[in-house]
Structures are given as C-alpha cells and as structure tokens.
Amino acid sequence: MLLTLVIFYLLATIAIGLWAAKRVKTTADFAIAGRHLPLVMIITTTFATWFGSETVLGIPAKFVQGGLGSVVEDPFGAGTCLILVGLFFAAKLYKMTLLTISDYYRERYGRGVEVACSLIIILSYLGWVSAQVTALGLVFNLLSAGAISIPLGMILGTASILAYTLFGGMWSVAVTDFIQMIILVVGLAIIAVFASGQAGGADKVIDLALSKDLFRFWPEPTMAQIVTFIAAAITMMFGSIPQQDVFQRVMSAKDLKAATRGPVIGGVCYILFAAVPMFLVTSALIIMPEQAATLIKEDPQKVLPTLVLEHMPFVMQVIFFGALLSALKSTASATLLAPSVTFVENIWRQFFPRQSDRQELWTMRVAVLVFSVCVCTYAILLQGTPIYEMVSGAYQVTLVGAFVPLAAGLYWKRATTQGAVFSIVLGLLSWGMFLATGASETLPAQLAGFIMAVVGMLIGSLGPQVVIKNRHGSHHSLVGS
C-alpha cells in the first residue's frame, strides 16, 4: 500500500512537471525559466535543491556519530554558500544576463578557461546527482521489502525525474520544487512532533544529545583539528559557488531583488531546517536504542527510514516518504539539468556554433537524457559509498578548479587569463597529488588545492604575461577582458 502511494506521488509530480513544460518555447525558458521567477519561487527552488538525500539521510548519520562538528561541511558550509552567493555574487552576475556560469569565464578569460571550468563543473555533478539516485534506490528497496533491488530502484527513480526535466527544464524544476518544498517542510515538521512524543518530549531528546556531546561544534585546539575543520567548512561554502544550479536560480529571478534575496533567505532556511533530521535521528536513540545502535554500526543512513517504518503508524510513513521523495526529486531534477545545459552552451557550441534556438533546445534535452544515463550508471557502480561522502567529494573539484577564477575575476581587476590558467592547473594538480600520495592525511587535499589555486592566480596575474602568436601572425595576450 505504501509503495503504491509513493508511485502515485511520483506520477503526480511528473504530471505537474509536464504541465509546467508547456511554458518552454526557447532555450532561455528551458535553462533559466525565461527570467520570470518571483522571489518566493527563488527561495523555494534554492531551498529544495539544497535539501536532498544528504540532508535527510547523510547529515543525521554523520551527526549521530560525531556531533555538530562532523557536519560543518553540510548544512553549515552549504547554507553559508547560498548566503554568500546572495550577498556577493548574485548582483554582479545577474546584470550580465548570461545563460550559464561558464559564460562568465568566457567573457572574463576567454574560450580556453570557459571549456576547462565547464568540464570541472560538469564532473562535479556526477557525485551530487549520484547521491540522490542512490537514495532513491534505497527508498524503493525499503518500501518493497527488498523485492525491488537498489540498482533497479535507482533506474526507476532516475526515470521518474527524467520524465519532466527532459521536457520542462527550469520551468518544470521550479514549479515542482515549489510544491515539493511545502510537502517536505510540513511533512518533516509533523514527523518531528510525533517522534518527540514517542521519545517522551523534545527536552528528553535534547538532554540525550547534550549527554553524548553531540552539540560540540568547534574543533579541538590542535593544528590538525583546526586545519581539518577549515577544509571541511570551505569545501561546500566556496566549492558550491561556481555551480550552474546555483547560478540558474539567480538568473531565473524576475528582478535583481529576487536574485539577491532569494539565495540568502533560502540559505538561512536550509541551515535552520536541516536540524529537523538531526533531531529525528537523536530521538531514534531513545525510541529504539538497541536497533539504532546496531544500525549506526552497520549503515547509519538507515536509522531514520527504519524508525518510521517499524515504529510509526502508516499515516506517518506516508508523510515521511512523501517528504523524503520531495527532497530527493527536487535536488536530482535540478542537478540533472545544470550540467546538461552547461555542456551544450559551453562545450557543444565549440564544435557546432551555428545552431538555431530550436535545435539548441533539442540538443539540451538530449544532453539531459545522456547525462541521466551516465549518472545512474555511476551511482550503481559506486553502490555502498556513503551519501555524505559522495556529495562532499563532488564539491572539492570545483573548489580547487573554478572558485578562485570566479571570485578573482569579479573582485580583482588585475586578474588575467594567465592567472586563471595557473590557478586551475596548480589547484587541480596539487589536489590530485595530495589525494594520490596520501599527503592529505597531513593537509586535506582540498585545502592544499585551494591554497595553490590562490597562489596560481597571484603568480599568473602579477607575473610577466605570455603573448601567443596565432597562425594569422597577430598577437594574443593572456589577459582577461
């Protein structure tokens, strides 16, 4: 019965998404909803995109094992990212009327940097979308009592998201996000109140968290602990900023006010509401102590679903899985769309520059389909990897390869194309070397990569600029516009 209701819910969201798809006539409609979204929809689609599998399943699993300090990366770093976007990046980018974030790299640094950063951004989405697909597979597996395998569940989940994202693009994503966020917030709030009653009151849950030192946020005052803490904090705080899904929400706004305020409000709401799944998993330690202890050792991501399935009435199960699916689908649809649009606009165009708008719209839809297949395959191959780690790893590559050129280009007039190239190369090389050699045990690889990206930007921009002679005999300096 529960699985039947879940399937009905999936079909309902597909129908809503296809209805919204009727508004898509151009690539701008598909990629950024024609820049028509009001403030309330920018808030909801930003919040809903961030509130995914890692928030409902990954964050509580990490929290119950290591406390607030172990989730500094997400939700604290991730939510702060949205606030920073609204305060320091949205206004500057919105005024440029670009289709993708990679268009900025082309305008500021040229084609080479555009392609390099586009590839980095596209690559980063594999981990994030795979985390949502993995969680969808887990949901189908749990609801069918194992009759649907996790890989088959991943395929079904991907197909349900693809059904409307393929046709409606950003319009379908924004409309379904709006509805799914309401279901998500109301659903998890009801579950939290019910779980609180089962645990003997919210004060009992908070007292347990205090007794287990789960509210400890700041690291121990040792160099190793502080460095690890900083590395974790900046991974999503900075690494999420040069992302197409964030940029799409900014550029989809109908005016500058919505573009700047939407991410800030969405980020604050995300940090605050991410506390609900952490509260729920702590209450599970009281409601089912032995079972929770076993699951924390085996697979802590199953604590919440098990609590709901085995210790709550049917109506609460419907509410929880409706909220969970809302979180997964809203994030997955957005993160399927973003890399596909980036690929067509910033890489495909290098080879096929003379396309009509209708042809480009068709190409974007094909790209969404192909990327969906790639992500689903990748998720199946990575089965068993913790969701939180999949999301965390996704943002390291954009942190070391794309963030510094974006920030420097917007706020430092002396940033040059040569500086951007040095930043990308040094950032990626040092990050890769630290991961490959095991040096990341001493200094986290993403922090080493970030530091070297900054060094590369400074050396490349302030040092002598290389002048390249092209085949026509004219000279081109590696200096940004």
Side-chain angles (χ1 to χ4, degrees):
M1 183 62 181
L2 185 56
L3 182 60
T4 303
L5 287 172
V6 164
I7 292 171
F8 175 78
Y9 173 71
L10 291 176
L11 292 174
T13 55
I14 290 170
I16 293 166
L18 291 175
W19 170 78
K22 293 191 292 184
R23 303 192 68 160
V24 175
K25 301 292 188 293
T26 67
T27 52
D29 291 333
F30 189 81
I32 53 175
R35 289 171 70 108
H36 290 311
L37 298 185
L39 175 60
V40 66
M41 290 192 78
I42 297 298
I43 295 170
T44 55
T45 191
T46 302
F47 175 91
T49 298
W50 244 231
F51 209 100
S53 62
E54 70 285 357
T55 320
V56 182
L57 300 176
I59 288 174
K62 291 281 285 185
F63 171 73
V64 79
Q65 290 176 306
L68 284 179
S70 65
V71 294
V72 60
E73 193 169 321
D74 189 9
F76 298 103
T80 305
C81 159
L82 293 176
I83 295 168
L84 293 176
V85 166
L87 293 177
F88 300 107
F89 294 86
K92 287 178 176 286
L93 293 171
Y94 187 80
K95 291 172 184 176
M96 297 179 73
T97 62
L98 306 170
L99 197 64
T100 70
I101 187 70
S102 295
D103 287 348
Y104 171 78
Y105 293 106
R106 181 185 66 246
E107 296 292 320
R108 184 67 172 83
Y109 300 115
R111 288 281 186 188
V113 174
E114 173 198 10
V115 172
C117 288
S118 296
L119 290 171
I120 289 168
I121 290 167
I122 290 168
L123 179 64
S124 73
Y125 278 100
L126 274 177
W128 195 13
V129 190
S130 295
Q132 316 313 315
V133 171
T134 298
L136 284 167
L138 180 64
V139 168
F140 277 107
N141 179 257
L142 286 170
L143 294 181
S144 65
I148 297 175
S149 66
I150 291 179
L152 179 58
M154 292 180 186
I155 295 169
L156 291 172
T158 304
S160 71
I161 299 157
L162 185 62
Y164 62 83
T165 308
L166 187 66
F167 298 101
M170 190 60 195
W171 265 118
S172 289
V173 169
V175 172
T176 52
D177 277 0
F178 181 76
I179 294 166
Q180 287 169 164
M181 197 204 87
I182 295 170
I183 295 170
L184 169 65
V185 170
V186 173
L188 283 182
I190 292 171
I191 293 289
V193 171
F194 191 84
S196 173
Q198 284 187 313
D203 57 326
K204 294 283 194 302
V205 179
I206 294 169
D207 287 344
L208 178 65
L210 284 169
S211 69
K212 290 182 172 291
D213 202 22
L214 294 180
F215 289 139
R216 181 170 51 84
F217 180 73
W218 299 108
E220 296 293 330
T222 64
M223 183 58 71
Q225 291 282 333
I226 292 169
V227 167
T228 301
F229 182 86
I230 293 170
I234 67 170
T235 298
M236 291 185 74
M237 190 186 299
F238 295 160
S240 301
I241 290 175
Q243 287 283 10
Q244 175 61 15
D245 60 283
V246 179
F247 177 82
Q248 275 179 311
R249 274 131 197 82
V250 170
M251 297 305 291
S252 297
K254 69 174 186 177
D255 53 38
L256 188 61
K257 175 184 169 183
T260 53
R261 294 184 183 180
V264 173
I265 299 170
V268 171
C269 291
Y270 175 70
I271 292 173
L272 294 175
F273 204 73
V276 175
M278 289 189 268
F279 176 86
L280 285 171
V281 79
T282 309
S283 67
L285 298 176
I286 298 174
I287 299 167
M288 49 176 211
E290 293 179 5
Q291 205 171 3
T294 304
L295 286 171
I296 288 168
K297 289 179 182 177
E298 295 174 356
D299 187 356
Q301 292 170 168
K302 290 184 178 178
V303 174
L304 274 189
T306 303
L307 169 68
V308 174
L309 281 173
E310 297 186 12
H311 296 272
M312 291 192 179
F314 180 73
V315 66
M316 290 298 158
Q317 295 174 20
V318 173
I319 291 171
F320 175 78
F321 283 100
L324 176 57
L325 283 171
S326 295
L328 301 181
K329 285 172 67 63
S330 59
T331 301
S333 59
T335 48
L336 278 179
L337 179 64
S340 306
V341 171
T342 299
F343 174 78
V344 174
E345 174 71 9
N346 303 106
I347 295 178
W348 186 261
R349 267 191 174 184
Q350 309 290 333
F351 306 100
F352 300 94
R354 293 187 182 90
Q355 282 191 314
S356 67
D357 193 76
R358 186 174 179 181
Q359 285 176 312
E360 190 159 324
L361 179 58
W362 183 85
T363 308
M364 283 182 179
R365 284 173 169 154
V366 172
V368 170
L369 176 61
V370 172
F371 191 75
S372 301
V373 173
C374 293
V375 162
C376 193
T377 304
Y378 184 73
I380 291 170
L381 292 174
L382 281 185
Q383 192 177 333
T385 305
I387 289 170
Y388 195 92
E389 304 305 325
M390 292 172 78
V391 173
S392 167
Y395 290 108
Q396 290 188 22
V397 67
T398 45
L399 171 67
V400 304
F403 172 72
V404 173
L406 174 65
L410 287 171
Y411 282 97
W412 191 37
K413 290 183 179 179
R414 297 185 67 180
T416 67
T417 300
Q418 181 173 283
V421 172
F422 278 32
S423 176
I424 294 167
V425 173
L426 285 179
L428 289 174
L429 276 180
S430 53
W431 173 66
M433 286 174 61
F434 268 69
L435 284 177
T437 60
S440 56
E441 293 180 9
T442 306
L443 179 67
Q446 71 267 38
L447 184 57
F450 174 69
I451 292 169
M452 290 309 296
V454 173
V455 170
M457 175 58 75
L458 292 173
I459 293 173
S461 297
L462 298 176
Q465 302 298 297
V466 175
V467 178
I468 299 173
K469 195 179 209 179
N470 65 28
R471 62 182 179 180
H472 301 295
S474 59
H475 293 78
H476 171 66
S477 176
L478 288 179
V479 181
S481 58

